[in-house]
């Protein structure tokens, strides 16, 4: 189960993920990102500090936005991943396709 919080900070939409993202809860992640895009945010920070697990469906949500974000000039940075979650992204090579920061400070620098 996932709980998603959105707050606006320094012109960016910060999406905080709390819990686990599996096939059924990946829809909530997709809706949160789509809402951020729909509200016109060009900077999206995804706080993964409390993300305990992400399935391939959850990873697919992030991947599905790569081209659209490039075309629309939207920047997204994920940050605060646990080693377990980081390994999931890294093993699949997604750390090469997505911007991932160590913490919020680094993520804000990457998105500026």
């Amino acid at each position: 189960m996932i709980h998603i919080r959105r707050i606006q900070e320094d012109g960016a939409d910060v999406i905080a993920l709390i819990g686990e993202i599996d096939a059924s809860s990946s829809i909530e992640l997709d809706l949160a990102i789509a809402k951020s895009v729909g509200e016109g945010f060009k900077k999206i920070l995804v706080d993964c500090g409390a993300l305990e697990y992400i399935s391939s469906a959850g990873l697919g949500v992030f991947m599905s936005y790569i081209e659209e974000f490039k075309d629309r000039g939207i920047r997204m940075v994920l940050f605060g991943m646990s080693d377990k979650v980081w390994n999931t992204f890294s093993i699949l090579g997604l750390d090469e396709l997505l911007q991932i920061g160590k913490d919020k400070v680094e993520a804000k620098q990457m998105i500026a």
Side-chain angles (χ1 to χ4, degrees):
M1 185 169 154
I2 189 75
H3 177 69
I4 299 175
R5 266 184 324 163
R6 289 179 59 225
I7 61 168
Q8 290 68 50
E9 188 175 305
D10 300 327
D13 198 27
V14 181
I15 301 172
L17 307 177
I18 303 155
E20 300 181 351
I21 298 176
D22 58 19
S24 61
S25 62
S26 67
I27 296 164
E28 294 177 53
L29 172 61
D30 192 25
L31 290 173
I33 295 172
K35 189 170 185 178
S36 182
V37 171
E39 291 175 7
F41 284 97
K42 296 290 186 186
K43 298 177 181 180
I44 301 171
L45 298 173
V46 182
D47 183 350
C48 300
L51 181 62
E52 299 165 7
Y53 168 82
I54 186 164
S55 71
S56 59
L59 296 169
V61 170
F62 289 118
M63 300 306 298
S64 71
Y65 283 97
I66 290 175
E67 288 303 317
E68 178 183 353
F69 284 5
K70 282 182 187 173
D71 293 344
R72 296 178 67 175
I74 298 171
R75 300 194 35 134
M76 178 174 68
V77 178
L78 290 72
F79 70 91
M81 291 181 185
S82 68
D83 289 342
K84 177 182 173 183
V85 172
W86 163 255
N87 286 338
T88 303
F89 279 81
S90 180
I91 287 169
L92 297 172
L94 302 183
D95 57 321
E96 301 291 325
L97 299 173
L98 298 167
Q99 288 191 292
I100 302 173
K102 176 182 60 166
D103 54 29
K104 187 186 267 188
V105 172
E106 183 176 83
K108 283 183 173 183
Q109 291 170 347
M110 293 170 72
I111 210 164

